[in-house]
Amino acid sequence: MAALYEVEPFSIYETIFPPYPTRGLEALMRVVLYDELFTVPQCNPGHMERLIEDLFAEVFKADRIRGQGWAHEDAIGLWQVLLSLASPSPTATFVKRSQLRLRLAQRVGPAACEALMDAFVLSRPNRNYRVPSDAIGADTRECAIVLASGDRYWIAPRPFLGPAFFARLVGLYAKLDKDINTKIGVAFEAQMLARMKRLGIECRRAEVLGSKGKTAGDIDLLLETDKVVALFELKKKGLTRKTNAGDGLQLAADLARGLVRGVNQLARHEIALRRDGELRLSDGTRLRLDGRRVVKCVISLADYGGFHDGAVLRNMMRSFVRMRLEAGPALNCEQKADLEVANRALTTLQSQSVEFAKLLPDAAEVDLFDNLLFHNVFFVEHLLLTEKTAESLLQKLLIGNRMVTGSRDAFVESALLDAGRQERS
């Protein structure tokens, strides 16, 4: 789906384990370029339909969203039509334009049908995508439906159809509502909590109180078992097109606003929990450690590609605690602001890493990132197909966390490790 181009050969060992802090960002940039070439976000269509409906149900009730000629329920109708026409196998589908338009018009009406086609159909996707820097204008991740030859439409394979449709939908709404990302982020937190509760998984959202009784931050999702206290932070922000195009500064800013900020929020709670043995919550209860293991998990709504890999994640964070970004001579105002955002997040991360180390002076092999997980919501939804308790969900999330398989694909690793465990039993 993406145009392929040649890249300079590099060692995967160097990418995951950059030898010098100053080269850390360069190595991470190579991970991004690799993923932009060879991976496209995927998700089970059933999961995606639920996400689209739940995330947007309350967000888009405003009448001004209808100014583009179609309403949100019309977009859901298009999604369902595409899904009904898509091949059940993981291959792309070609369908006559008249067939798709007729089926869609019957569902949403002729006027909305035309407006949806104008908004969602791509005529020449990736037409200028030849070298890495061209990714800033590429349509790769929005290719749900494309104009094809012979009076046909091309529909993306089912695994990729959902993320592509979602990306296009968010992009279209962003043109009408500048606060769309914030609204989706709030809806994401509420949706994930409600989803787990519907499945019977015991969990809650918690507001933590500081030493003076003031709010010290939230825990988006808290899961407890007899052996584990799991703190979850949910993040909507992902990697931007600038980052996919090879902009190192934008990569730092994207990671700072999403992953690093999430880790900082969770680390603050973990440090307080380990230091004091408990967290006071606004509902009057206390979260006690009681000798249990602490797990920090950042769940993203967006796909971060190879950064979800456990080895890449840990070594990236360890590079960050030894890194500061310096301004070049030709930065514009926007770039300077991005640099400040990135360095602020890195400074917080570094101070928390030092504070954590002081709590465990005799544990030289343990650092702030040994108990850190990073997954996208698609993988969590995949696990929720079979895991219906906090214990089983956490067990699945933790399986293979310390193993390096080289696949950099949580779905593949989960299947392989699960099969191996079943064979042994």
Side-chain angles (χ1 to χ4, degrees):
M1 294 175 68
L4 297 184
Y5 50 81
E6 293 183 1
V7 295
E8 176 187 353
F10 63 91
S11 164
I12 191 66
Y13 183 88
E14 179 182 309
T15 301
I16 298 178
F17 303 94
Y20 308 107
T22 54
R23 298 186 63 193
L25 196 59
E26 176 188 350
L28 294 175
M29 199 68 252
R30 293 179 180 180
V31 174
V32 173
L33 293 177
Y34 180 94
D35 289 336
E36 175 65 10
L37 277 174
F38 301 112
T39 66
V40 177
Q42 55 185 300
C43 180
N44 179 290
H47 302 339
M48 182 52 67
E49 180 162 350
R50 184 167 49 249
L51 283 172
I52 291 173
E53 291 182 343
D54 289 351
L55 290 177
F56 293 118
E58 296 299 323
V59 173
F60 300 118
K61 285 185 175 178
D63 289 338
R64 61 195 180 96
I65 295 297
R66 298 173 181 268
Q68 53 200 344
W70 49 272
H72 183 63
E73 55 267 27
D74 298 326
I76 296 296
L78 172 59
W79 158 255
Q80 292 171 343
V81 167
L82 293 177
L83 196 59
S84 69
L85 293 171
S87 169
S89 64
T91 58
T93 301
F94 288 91
V95 60
K96 286 187 175 298
R97 297 178 201 173
S98 57
Q99 179 186 358
L100 190 152
R101 284 176 172 271
L102 176 61
R103 190 172 296 191
L104 181 60
Q106 289 173 338
R107 181 180 290 261
V108 304
C113 172
E114 290 302 315
L116 286 167
M117 290 291 96
D118 289 342
F120 281 85
V121 175
L122 302 180
S123 58
R124 295 176 61 197
N126 302 327
R127 59 186 178 274
N128 297 318
Y129 193 176
R130 298 183 180 89
V131 296
S133 59
D134 292 336
I136 194 170
D139 303 302
T140 310
R141 295 170 189 264
E142 297 182 13
C143 286
I145 176 171
V146 177
L147 196 64
S149 61
D151 194 35
R152 300 175 301 169
Y153 289 125
W154 175 93
I155 300 175
R158 277 178 171 248
F160 312 118
L161 180 60
F165 187 87
F166 180 85
R168 188 67 174 174
L169 186 62
V170 172
L172 292 169
Y173 280 140
K175 295 176 181 179
L176 299 174
D177 187 346
K178 64 180 181 179
D179 297 323
I180 189 64
N181 288 327
T182 300
K183 293 177 180 178
I184 291 176
V186 172
F188 179 35
E189 295 175 12
Q191 183 271 341
M192 203 68 217
L193 179 63
R195 170 88 171 118
M196 289 199 180
K197 285 186 173 181
R198 283 198 300 268
L199 291 173
I201 296 176
E202 292 189 16
C203 61
R204 55 177 166 155
R205 187 178 187 277
E207 187 176 86
V208 180
L209 297 180
S211 58
K212 297 182 180 180
K214 294 182 179 180
T215 301
D218 299 326
I219 301 173
D220 290 340
L221 204 60
L222 172 61
L223 272 68
E224 295 182 74
T225 71
D226 293 339
K227 298 180 180 179
V228 177
V229 175
L231 313 175
F232 288 77
E233 182 69 26
L234 308 180
K235 288 297 179 187
K236 188 269 174 191
K237 291 189 179 298
L239 303 181
T240 60
R241 286 187 177 187
K242 271 190 179 180
T243 289
N244 290 328
D247 188 322
L249 175 56
Q250 189 64 49
L251 167 64
D254 289 348
L255 289 172
R257 292 186 172 101
L259 171 63
V260 179
R261 183 173 290 176
V263 174
N264 284 340
Q265 290 168 301
L266 295 178
R268 182 171 69 251
H269 298 317
E270 179 186 12
I271 289 169
L273 185 58
R274 288 184 181 274
R275 182 188 62 231
D276 304 328
E278 65 179 22
L279 292 177
R280 292 191 304 140
L281 307 180
S282 62
D283 62 2
T285 63
R286 295 175 185 261
L287 172 64
R288 292 185 170 85
L289 187 56
D290 291 336
R292 292 180 290 180
R293 176 183 180 185
V294 179
V295 173
K296 302 188 296 291
C297 189
V298 178
I299 304 296
S300 64
L301 182 57
D303 181 83
Y304 277 69
F307 290 145
H308 291 297
D309 177 84
V312 173
L313 172 67
R314 282 189 295 275
N315 288 282
M316 171 175 64
M317 302 306 290
R318 286 165 184 161
S319 291
F320 282 166
V321 298
R322 306 190 302 274
M323 180 187 297
R324 176 170 176 80
L325 304 177
E326 298 296 336
L331 295 186
N332 59 35
C333 292
E334 183 180 357
Q335 290 172 322
K336 288 179 181 178
D338 284 339
L339 186 69
E340 290 178 8
V341 167
N343 275 327
R344 224 171 16 245
L346 292 180
T347 299
T348 300
L349 185 73
Q350 290 155 8
S351 64
Q352 289 181 334
S353 180
V354 171
E355 190 174 355
F356 182 88
K358 290 178 180 177
L359 291 174
L360 301 172
D362 299 325
E365 300 301 318
V366 178
D367 65 19
L368 187 62
F369 314 116
D370 277 286
N371 63 347
L372 177 63
L373 304 174
F374 180 39
H375 292 293
N376 60 37
V377 69
F378 309 143
F379 180 65
V380 175
E381 285 284 358
H382 174 72
L383 297 184
L384 292 176
L385 287 173
T386 55
E387 313 311 316
K388 307 300 181 186
T389 66
E391 289 86 350
S392 63
L393 176 60
L394 291 174
Q395 185 180 43
K396 270 295 184 68
L397 284 170
L398 290 167
I399 286 177
N401 183 49
R402 302 293 303 172
M403 298 181 185
V404 179
T405 66
S407 76
R408 287 171 53 185
D409 188 319
F411 292 88
V412 172
E413 291 178 351
S414 179
L416 288 175
L417 295 171
D418 216 31
R421 187 177 61 161
Q422 291 174 3
E423 287 177 3
R424 288 194 299 275
S425 61

